[in-house]
Amino acid sequence: MEPSQTNNEEEEQLITPWEVDAKDGGKIDYDKLIDRFGCQRIDQSLVQRVERLTSQPAHVFLRRNVFFAHRDFAEILDAYEKGDKFYLYTGRGPSSEALHLGHLIPFMYLQDAFKVPLVIQLTDDEKFLWKNLTIEECQRLARENAKDIIACGFDISKTFIFNDFDYVGGAFYRNMVQVGKRVTYNQAVGIFGFTGEDHIGKVSFPPVQAVPSFPSSFPHLFKGKENLRCLIPCAIDQLKDEIKILAATEGLSRRSNEKYGETGKMSASDPNSAIYVTDSAKDIKNKINRYAFSGGQDSVEKHRQLGANLEVDIPIKYLSFFLEDDAELEHIKKEYGAGRMLTGEVKQRLVQVLTEVVDRHRTARANVTEEMVDAFMAVRPLPHMFD
Amino acid sequence: MEPSQTNNEEEEQLITPWEVDAKDGGKIDYDKLIDRFGCQRIDQSLVQRVERLTSQPAHVFLRRNVFFAHRDFAEILDAYEKGDKFYLYTGRGPSSEALHLGHLIPFMYLQDAFKVPLVIQLTDDEKFLWKNLTIEECQRLARENAKDIIACGFDISKTFIFNDFDYVGGAFYRNMVQVGKRVTYNQAVGIFGFTGEDHIGKVSFPPVQAVPSFPSSFPHLFKGKENLRCLIPCAIDQLKDEIKILAATEGLSRRSNEKYGETGKMSASDPNSAIYVTDSAKDIKNKINRYAFSGGQDSVEKHRQLGANLEVDIPIKYLSFFLEDDAELEHIKKEYGAGRMLTGEVKQRLVQVLTEVVDRHRTARANVTEEMVDAFMAVRPLPHMFD
């Protein structure tokens, strides 16, 4: 793989994860690298210690200094000597069907000599992200490489081989990677306003929220229905990113469809700006009476004369959300707007409506068991979902 | 949640996914938003069409224009009229134990009226990335929110609720998010040389390669052994990022330990620079004789007189990797270095050694079945991994 750009701080020796090369074809100065990375040389006494601990000759790569440096390997040996085991990790990007020689030889020795487990990561996702290949092709190459690895003679009782597209998160993760490949960092900055000091966890998150729009993210629900449309009711504040992220992924799947609600600027972070399902009747009464902005007039006389300004009246807004009865709502708006109904009366009706809603919810929630949560969250088919 | 920064292009109205606010506390101009985002108003005729298609009165949010805009909803209705179903997607960041009212009301109506499934994403990972909470606390809040959602009365035969930390990828994904939270974009650029035009898939990848260093990424192997050390034999070109990424995650877990091999600049992308396990005996002979750089002299006479320069001789390098017999290797180096052995003879021995290795591998690989691949890649405990 090619590095994304030449790194400024590496003037003399280009070292990215994807390339090691001295400038002008010169020789890499390994001593310099060892110093810079805070490593130690692997010397003869360390090799002899390995032989003593494993009761067998060291691998030629150790004996002949092909393995030439380490970090904290002595600490691992100290612990091993006291009976603490460790495990081995290696990985491969499955770029071609043919494994080249030499890559895996030392692992079998280490596994065998120290009697420790080995995990082998096949980064088919990396390959997909950097190369122009399909996910399926990358998965197939990973499997072909697994065969070469197995053919080396690894001990199945000590070896776990996995490819990211299947082990990390299945269909959902594959779609995350598909979306991630279609959105540049600059686009993400334009949408989310990330800065360079934001951590990459944030930068990685938008695909997580985008992929539920694709039916294939839920194979237990929608296998064979990959063209199903998705309707996303959402608030206007979720709109901009949804559109841009989905626009960037166009062609990946039939575009998802959205419509938008605006639910009255209730925020979960300001306790007085919203009615919670945990609020008591007293809380609700207090919040509505003290905090719900009224469009009524300052004095009863003025109110009787001018009526309420319904446009800015929060109790009316809430009633329009929660009072089901159209006729009653119209009646209240008419009477209140004409000044025949007072703010206190409207608020009283709202408190009543909200208290009912919250009471109903509280009772229902008390009846929700852990088993019901497990049942709703079980990864399962829904055979009657369209009935 | 707070936006990471104010977005320059939004001078008058601040709209990030995390906030909608008009400057100076002014009123949001929804008509302007609708235009900018290419949406349409939800008008009375659309509401009536919904009522006709669902044979029931529209929800108050539709009737009273709380839902005020849409994109492609008419297309969904066209398809629905012809018998094509769709599904609903919504999500919540579980920020507090108390759900505020109103968020979920329209979904139950849509699910019920259109008889379609609903997926509800609980973004406990988002919460973890943006807030100072543990993963466990975020998961707990997600479950508490699920109870509120269930209490609303959703139909279990049409509803799938999931939290990202469990559905997206389990333990491995949780560790990816942990690592992602500890590495800034600027750090990632310093390590990998990403540019703004690189897609965010690349930016998201480093944690995928980092987390196999943590035993907790493999609960089927290492449950209860979360402090197990990890040894990562790797080439010097993987060194820099490993160290920096792992240094950035220090404190997350006992630091992993590494040692490094350098396997002779064989690259899978240049077919002549490496011997592949798929090469025939003829391929090997051809590659070694034509491409393996020799430290021998230009003429036999000069070679007999001066001997070979072993430092730059590729056949000697390869023999030191693949010829197990220390005594024979020493003998060859001595004779060749003194000019008593010729390049052709050394290459002939190397071709022999490599052909044996490749033949052995080819036979072994032919015996690897799909079932063996499945067995090695099965997510399973390894009870004898330390025996």
Side-chain angles (χ1 to χ4, degrees):
Chain A
M1 281 179 295
E2 295 307 307
S4 296
Q5 65 175 28
T6 303
N7 198 324
N8 288 335
E9 74 175 29
E10 309 295 342
E11 291 285 324
E12 302 150 61
Q13 308 191 51
L14 176 65
I15 308 152
T16 73
W18 300 286
E19 199 160 8
V20 178
D21 245 327
K23 277 280 166 69
D24 310 316
K27 235 175 118 65
I28 299 274
D29 183 340
Y30 288 110
D31 282 325
K32 203 167 155 186
L33 285 184
I34 288 170
D35 284 349
R36 186 192 302 167
F37 294 142
C39 300
Q40 290 88 46
R41 279 246 160 222
I42 293 180
D43 58 18
Q44 221 34 50
S45 75
L46 192 68
V47 174
Q48 282 161 9
R49 192 173 174 209
V50 168
E51 295 188 324
R52 215 168 47 240
L53 282 171
T54 61
S55 311
Q56 66 179 75
H59 189 268
V60 291
F61 283 16
L62 272 173
R63 292 204 310 265
R64 296 173 192 167
N65 220 233
V66 177
F67 278 9
F68 61 92
H70 73 92
R71 247 179 62 151
D72 303 329
F73 185 45
E75 193 202 298
I76 278 204
L77 294 181
D78 291 345
Y80 188 81
E81 201 154 18
K82 293 189 202 115
D84 280 359
K85 301 286 189 169
F86 58 92
Y87 74 105
L88 298 160
Y89 155 41
T90 187
R92 272 195 60 80
S95 56
S96 64
E97 298 183 47
L99 205 68
H100 63 85
L101 281 170
H103 181 87
L104 287 158
I105 295 167
F107 290 92
M108 214 154 54
Y109 154 74
L110 289 167
Q111 176 181 71
D112 185 59
F114 287 99
K115 306 203 181 313
V116 289
L118 163 64
V119 296
I120 304 177
Q121 178 181 43
L122 302 172
T123 53
D124 47 4
D125 51 349
E126 179 185 31
K127 211 45 61 177
F128 173 77
L129 287 166
W130 266 265
K131 299 280 181 187
N132 187 22
L133 295 169
T134 65
I135 284 185
E136 292 70 26
E137 178 64 5
C138 294
Q139 286 175 301
R140 195 186 66 75
L141 288 173
R143 245 188 114 81
E144 288 308 309
N145 277 191
K147 289 180 187 167
D148 278 309
I149 291 166
I150 292 166
C152 292
F154 285 101
D155 180 349
I156 194 168
S157 76
K158 295 183 171 60
T159 309
F160 174 53
I161 306 174
F162 66 100
N163 64 311
D164 292 339
F165 273 139
D166 288 288
Y167 182 68
V168 176
F172 197 97
Y173 177 65
R174 288 192 287 276
N175 281 347
M176 280 165 56
V177 176
Q178 290 267 25
V179 171
K181 192 173 178 174
R182 283 165 173 81
V183 180
T184 68
Y185 178 73
N186 286 341
Q187 286 177 308
V189 167
I191 300 169
F192 299 97
F194 297 129
T195 74
E197 286 307 304
D198 277 322
H199 54 68
I200 59 173
K202 290 186 182 182
V203 182
S204 312
F205 181 70
V208 178
Q209 208 154 32
V211 303
S213 316
F214 304 113
S216 57
S217 303
F218 306 100
H220 58 289
L221 299 178
F222 304 129
K223 205 173 165 63
K225 298 188 177 70
E226 283 76 12
N227 279 328
L228 204 65
R229 287 175 182 80
C230 176
L231 179 67
I232 310 170
C234 68
I236 195 84
D237 59 350
Q238 296 167 282
L239 176 55
K240 189 174 149 238
D241 62 319
E242 287 282 351
I243 287 181
K244 289 209 183 165
I245 287 285
L246 290 173
T249 63
E250 222 156 341
L252 174 58
S253 163
R254 182 185 296 240
R255 193 176 65 249
S256 302
N257 304 277
E258 303 117 62
K259 77 191 179 72
Y260 310 96
E262 196 278 297
T263 50
K265 193 68 185 153
M266 299 189 292
S267 159
S269 40
D270 175 0
N272 287 318
S273 80
I275 307 297
Y276 294 105
V277 289
T278 45
D279 284 345
S280 67
K282 207 178 136 195
D283 290 335
I284 293 172
K285 198 170 166 181
N286 185 47
K287 281 186 187 179
I288 297 299
N289 286 336
R290 288 182 62 172
Y291 298 103
F293 185 81
S294 170
Q297 305 301 331
D298 295 342
S299 67
V300 175
E301 291 68 33
K302 220 168 141 195
H303 186 77
R304 295 289 185 208
Q305 188 193 333
L306 299 172
N309 177 358
L310 302 185
E311 286 297 304
V312 300
D313 193 272
I314 293 294
I316 288 294
K317 190 163 197 176
Y318 269 58
L319 278 174
S320 77
F321 295 157
F322 294 107
L323 183 59
E324 293 271 338
D325 186 330
D326 288 344
E328 186 187 351
L329 182 66
E330 274 318 297
H331 176 76
I332 291 172
K333 283 163 90 169
K334 200 176 140 203
E335 295 299 299
Y336 187 40
R340 288 187 293 273
M341 220 174 155
L342 296 177
T343 296
E345 295 170 278
V346 175
K347 285 191 169 182
Q348 196 186 350
R349 181 64 183 125
L350 175 61
V351 169
Q352 208 173 30
V353 168
L354 287 178
T355 304
E356 267 175 42
V357 170
V358 169
D359 276 352
R360 210 185 311 136
H361 184 83
R362 204 191 327 266
T363 309
R365 195 192 195 280
N367 290 325
V368 175
T369 62
E370 294 298 327
E371 290 69 31
M372 283 165 74
V373 177
D374 291 340
F376 267 94
M377 298 184 78
V379 179
R380 67 205 191 277
L382 297 177
H384 301 294
M385 62 187 170
F386 293 122
D387 294 353
Chain B
M1 282 178 295
E2 294 307 307
S4 296
Q5 65 175 26
T6 304
N7 197 325
N8 288 335
E9 74 174 29
E10 309 294 343
E11 291 285 325
E12 303 150 59
Q13 307 191 52
L14 176 64
I15 308 153
T16 74
W18 300 287
E19 199 160 9
V20 178
D21 246 327
K23 276 280 166 67
D24 310 316
K27 236 175 117 66
I28 299 272
D29 183 340
Y30 288 110
D31 283 325
K32 203 166 155 187
L33 285 184
I34 289 170
D35 284 349
R36 185 191 304 165
F37 294 142
C39 300
Q40 291 88 46
R41 280 246 161 224
I42 293 180
D43 58 18
Q44 221 34 50
S45 75
L46 192 68
V47 174
Q48 282 160 9
R49 191 172 175 211
V50 168
E51 294 188 325
R52 215 167 47 240
L53 283 171
T54 60
S55 312
Q56 66 180 72
H59 189 268
V60 290
F61 283 17
L62 272 174
R63 292 204 309 266
R64 295 173 193 168
N65 220 232
V66 177
F67 278 9
F68 61 92
H70 73 93
R71 247 179 61 150
D72 303 328
F73 186 44
E75 193 202 298
I76 277 204
L77 294 180
D78 291 345
Y80 188 80
E81 202 154 18
K82 293 188 202 115
D84 280 359
K85 301 286 190 169
F86 59 93
Y87 74 105
L88 298 159
Y89 155 41
T90 186
R92 273 195 59 79
S95 56
S96 64
E97 297 183 48
L99 206 67
H100 63 84
L101 280 171
H103 181 86
L104 287 158
I105 295 166
F107 289 92
M108 215 154 54
Y109 154 74
L110 289 168
Q111 175 181 71
D112 185 58
F114 287 99
K115 306 204 181 314
V116 289
L118 164 65
V119 296
I120 304 177
Q121 178 181 43
L122 301 172
T123 53
D124 47 4
D125 51 350
E126 179 185 31
K127 210 45 61 177
F128 173 77
L129 287 167
W130 266 264
K131 299 281 181 187
N132 187 22
L133 295 169
T134 65
I135 284 185
E136 292 70 26
E137 178 64 5
C138 295
Q139 286 174 301
R140 194 187 66 76
L141 288 173
R143 246 187 113 82
E144 288 308 309
N145 277 192
K147 289 180 187 167
D148 278 308
I149 291 166
I150 292 166
C152 292
F154 285 101
D155 180 349
I156 194 168
S157 76
K158 295 183 170 59
T159 309
F160 174 53
I161 306 174
F162 66 99
N163 65 311
D164 293 338
F165 273 139
D166 288 289
Y167 182 68
V168 176
F172 198 98
Y173 177 66
R174 289 193 286 276
N175 281 346
M176 280 165 56
V177 176
Q178 290 267 25
V179 171
K181 193 173 178 174
R182 283 165 173 82
V183 180
T184 68
Y185 178 73
N186 285 342
Q187 286 177 308
V189 167
I191 300 169
F192 299 97
F194 297 129
T195 75
E197 286 308 303
D198 277 322
H199 54 68
I200 59 173
K202 290 186 182 182
V203 182
S204 312
F205 181 70
V208 178
Q209 207 154 32
V211 303
S213 316
F214 304 113
S216 57
S217 303
F218 306 100
H220 58 289
L221 298 178
F222 303 129
K223 205 173 165 63
K225 298 188 177 71
E226 283 76 12
N227 279 328
L228 203 65
R229 287 174 182 81
C230 176
L231 178 67
I232 311 171
C234 67
I236 195 85
D237 59 350
Q238 296 166 282
L239 176 55
K240 190 174 147 237
D241 62 319
E242 287 283 351
I243 287 180
K244 289 210 181 162
I245 287 284
L246 290 172
T249 63
E250 222 156 341
L252 174 58
S253 163
R254 181 186 296 241
R255 193 176 65 248
S256 302
N257 304 276
E258 302 118 62
K259 78 191 178 69
Y260 310 96
E262 196 278 297
T263 50
K265 193 68 185 152
M266 299 189 292
S267 159
S269 40
D270 176 0
N272 287 319
S273 80
I275 307 298
Y276 294 106
V277 289
T278 46
D279 284 346
S280 67
K282 207 179 136 194
D283 291 335
I284 293 172
K285 198 170 167 182
N286 185 48
K287 281 187 187 179
I288 297 300
N289 286 335
R290 288 182 61 172
Y291 298 104
F293 185 81
S294 170
Q297 306 300 332
D298 295 342
S299 67
V300 175
E301 291 67 33
K302 221 169 140 194
H303 186 77
R304 295 287 185 209
Q305 188 194 334
L306 299 171
N309 178 357
L310 302 184
E311 287 296 303
V312 300
D313 193 89
I314 293 294
I316 288 295
K317 191 165 197 175
Y318 269 57
L319 278 174
S320 77
F321 295 158
F322 294 107
L323 182 59
E324 294 270 339
D325 186 330
D326 289 344
E328 187 187 352
L329 182 66
E330 274 318 296
H331 176 76
I332 291 173
K333 282 163 91 168
K334 199 176 140 204
E335 296 299 299
Y336 187 40
R340 287 188 294 273
M341 220 174 155
L342 297 177
T343 297
E345 296 171 276
V346 176
K347 285 192 169 181
Q348 195 185 350
R349 181 64 183 124
L350 175 61
V351 168
Q352 207 173 31
V353 167
L354 287 178
T355 304
E356 267 175 43
V357 170
V358 168
D359 277 352
R360 210 186 311 136
H361 184 83
R362 204 190 330 265
T363 308
R365 195 193 195 280
N367 290 324
V368 175
T369 62
E370 294 298 326
E371 290 68 32
M372 282 165 74
V373 177
D374 291 341
F376 267 94
M377 298 184 78
V379 178
R380 68 206 190 276
L382 296 177
H384 301 294
M385 62 188 170
F386 293 122
D387 294 354

